[in-house]
Amino acid sequence: MPSPRSADRPAAQPPGRGSVDALISQARRLKGEVDAVRRDAPGDGSRPEERWQRALYDLALHQLDDLDAHLAQLRDGPQAPAAPWTAPAPPPAPAAPCTGSLLSRVGSAEWNLLTDEASWSGELFAILGRDPAAPPLTLDELPSLVLDEDRALLTAMVTDCLVDARPIDGEFRIRRPDGGLRTVHMMGEPVLDADGGTVSMWAVLRDVSELRRTQQAVTESQDSLRHHQHRAQTEHRLAVELQEAVLPPWRGALRLPHQGPRALDLAAHYLPASTSTLIGGDWYDALELSDGETLLSVGDLTGHGPTVTSGMAILLGALRGMAMAGTAPAQLMALLNQLIDATVQPALGSAVCCRYRPDTRTLVWAQAGHPAPLLYRDGTGRRLDSPDGVLLGATSGAVYGQAEVTLQVGDLLLLHTDGLVPGRSRDTAVDRLLDLAPRFGEARTAQDCVRMVVEEFGGAERQDDACVLLARVAS
């Protein structure tokens, strides 16, 4: 448990981009200074201590290159995801601890070609997992530690060094006697006699296992991020295409039924969520039925993405088909509830369904856990009294009530889904919508009323998508 003093101390904040840029500049300046010292170092490298000094300079430059790369990753990082994603599992723990985490162990070795003797530093025994009391491995024995797929690389590097006097600079993986796998970076050079012949090979070996694990973890994280971004983009495109295919094709104003008096002047709008790239299950619909009546419905299936959008498409298709067959709104809700209850992936949904009879201007409607329609008349508005109805999918065998109201010429009916008024409770949202009554009274068309709703609530940050459908009773 932290002490009170440590608990009161503010948590350390990550360095800003400017701070990281300053560190990168310092690392690169230090690299230039080390390189200048290496070039100006006295001696021709004929003595072991000179070779060791020069090798340490080279290793320092490699370390600074790695530090530069890590600082760049810290500054730039992976691109922010479009949708929430799960980080990959951390890399496995190393088989043997490495002092200083990313700071590598460094050992040295020299192989004398004339006497076939080998000389190793104590740290090299630790890197390779060898008993310090055992004799060092010869150049012929060294490949026995190397993985089969890397053995040819080591052989080629040693051969080029001994035959063509080329310096060694490469990596290979070894299997330690305890079974641990390590990655070793080897830098070496031939030692020549006065006639230019190779008499020995001298090398420094650095354990870079932790560094490579870290780089691999970064690469896997970036690959995973790209995969999730691609998947999110694909899911968003599929959901949008499915939604566009299912929702009514009409845009702007619509008059139903198409022929005859006492029709409804209709307009609707879909408002996407501003905090998510995924499409939800909200819908609106207006359809002229075979008996001359008009079907109005809005609804919302919980969740986001193609699965939810496809579920919404199934519900809306079933609703349209049953309404065409003359099913009353209350029975429609009961059948939709059975449909959700029978699906492989259960879900919850809400809906309101209305049938408008133009000959009597009667509206018959039912709801399933959904906001009731709002009725505006003569500059005032009220919420219709809701018949009984639980959420779709909440319980099997649910029974739904049905209500009826007679409309008048000029009446405006507003149907909407939750989330139309962002950040508000259902009751508060209704009050805000009812406050629009005086403005609706001055509007000439349903489309004008939709524009007022969008102007009032469309620009706010919303956590979920929403739909609004308005119907004005024409003369």
Side-chain angles (χ1 to χ4, degrees):
M1 179 179 296
S3 65
R5 179 170 298 178
S6 64
D8 292 340
R9 188 166 51 241
Q13 297 297 315
R17 184 182 180 94
S19 300
V20 178
D21 285 335
L23 289 174
I24 292 175
S25 298
Q26 293 176 14
R28 291 176 180 174
R29 183 169 58 253
L30 180 59
K31 177 183 174 183
E33 294 173 354
V34 172
D35 190 39
V37 174
R38 179 181 64 87
R39 291 195 304 269
D40 296 339
D44 56 4
S46 59
R47 293 183 300 169
E49 59 269 21
E50 293 175 352
R51 292 194 295 271
W52 173 251
Q53 185 182 53
R54 185 165 55 189
L56 288 180
Y57 282 136
D58 291 338
L59 283 175
L61 292 173
H62 274 276
Q63 294 275 20
L64 288 170
D65 281 337
D66 293 335
L67 177 60
D68 188 19
H70 278 291
L71 287 173
Q73 291 171 354
L74 177 63
R75 177 192 62 191
D76 301 332
Q79 295 297 316
W85 65 287
T86 303
C98 181
T99 303
S101 184
L102 296 180
L103 298 178
S104 308
R105 284 177 168 173
V106 179
S108 64
E110 185 166 2
W111 290 274
N112 191 308
L113 303 183
L114 301 180
T115 62
D116 202 27
E117 294 177 343
S119 175
W120 286 9
S121 69
E123 192 67 17
L124 184 56
F125 280 94
I127 292 174
L128 302 182
R130 307 287 296 178
D131 183 358
L137 298 180
T138 66
L139 280 178
D140 292 334
E141 296 170 332
L142 185 62
S144 65
L145 298 178
V146 181
L147 297 188
D148 292 343
E149 50 267 40
D150 292 353
R151 197 168 294 162
L153 172 63
L154 174 62
T155 301
M157 290 192 302
V158 172
T159 301
D160 290 342
C161 179
L162 299 180
V163 176
D164 299 327
R166 296 180 182 175
I168 291 177
D169 190 350
E171 291 184 10
F172 52 87
R173 292 163 296 170
I174 64 164
R175 180 73 68 183
R176 292 159 52 105
D178 60 6
L181 183 66
R182 311 300 292 176
T183 301
V184 176
H185 179 222
M186 183 176 184
M187 298 176 62
E189 57 184 23
V191 179
L192 308 178
D193 60 16
D195 298 327
T198 303
V199 296
S200 66
M201 190 185 82
W202 192 84
V204 290
L205 295 94
R206 180 168 63 122
D207 186 346
V208 295
S209 305
E210 298 304 313
L211 177 62
R212 296 300 172 251
R213 283 193 181 102
T214 301
Q215 292 173 336
Q216 181 180 3
V218 171
T219 300
E220 290 175 352
S221 297
Q222 292 173 338
D223 290 344
S224 177
L225 176 61
R226 284 191 288 268
H227 170 74
H228 282 279
Q229 287 176 329
H230 177 72
R231 179 177 178 180
Q233 292 169 354
T234 302
E235 289 183 348
H236 180 263
R237 185 180 66 254
L238 290 174
V240 169
E241 291 175 353
L242 183 58
Q243 184 189 63
E244 291 178 347
V246 173
L247 291 181
W250 53 272
R251 297 294 184 267
L254 179 71
R255 184 183 175 92
L256 292 179
H258 295 291
Q259 304 294 330
R262 301 179 179 180
L264 294 178
D265 171 27
L266 299 164
H269 192 78
Y270 170 82
L271 296 94
S274 56
T275 57
S276 173
T277 58
L278 294 179
I279 301 298
D282 288 54
W283 84 79
Y284 65 87
D285 196 25
L287 182 68
E288 183 175 356
L289 303 177
S290 56
D291 57 5
E293 297 183 0
T294 296
L295 172 72
L296 304 177
S297 72
V298 296
D300 179 16
L301 197 62
T302 56
H304 297 84
T307 301
V308 172
T309 310
S310 63
M312 176 267 287
I314 293 173
L315 284 182
L316 187 52
L319 187 152
R320 288 168 173 168
M322 291 185 292
M324 277 292 186
T327 307
Q331 184 64 16
L332 267 175
M333 294 293 102
L335 292 174
L336 290 180
N337 183 65
Q338 292 181 21
L339 178 62
I340 287 185
D341 191 50
T343 56
V344 178
Q345 294 182 337
L348 289 174
S350 69
V352 60
C353 177
C354 310
R355 289 183 71 109
Y356 173 70
R357 301 168 182 165
D359 54 344
T360 60
R361 296 195 186 99
T362 302
L363 186 78
V364 180
W365 68 284
Q367 63 84 29
H370 199 87
L374 305 182
L375 177 61
Y376 299 84
R377 178 180 294 170
D378 298 328
T380 62
R382 67 180 179 92
R383 175 168 44 188
L384 298 183
D385 295 332
S386 294
D388 293 336
V390 298
L391 285 169
L392 299 174
T395 181
S396 300
V399 177
Y400 293 85
Q402 186 167 286
E404 184 173 317
V405 61
T406 300
L407 304 180
Q408 300 178 8
V409 174
D411 282 355
L412 180 70
L413 197 68
L414 186 151
L415 284 66
H416 68 97
T417 59
D418 281 325
L420 178 61
V421 183
R424 303 288 181 175
S425 66
R426 180 174 288 187
D427 289 339
T428 305
V430 168
D431 291 340
R432 293 283 306 277
L433 290 169
L434 291 177
D435 288 342
L436 295 175
R439 296 174 60 186
F440 284 165
E442 299 174 356
R444 294 182 300 173
T445 66
Q447 183 64 26
D448 290 337
C449 296
V450 165
R451 292 194 188 98
M452 293 177 187
V453 173
V454 174
E455 290 172 359
E456 187 72 21
F457 306 113
E461 292 288 327
R462 62 184 67 253
Q463 299 296 321
D464 200 1
D465 46 358
C467 293
V468 59
L469 172 64
L470 286 107
R472 180 183 289 276
V473 180
S475 58

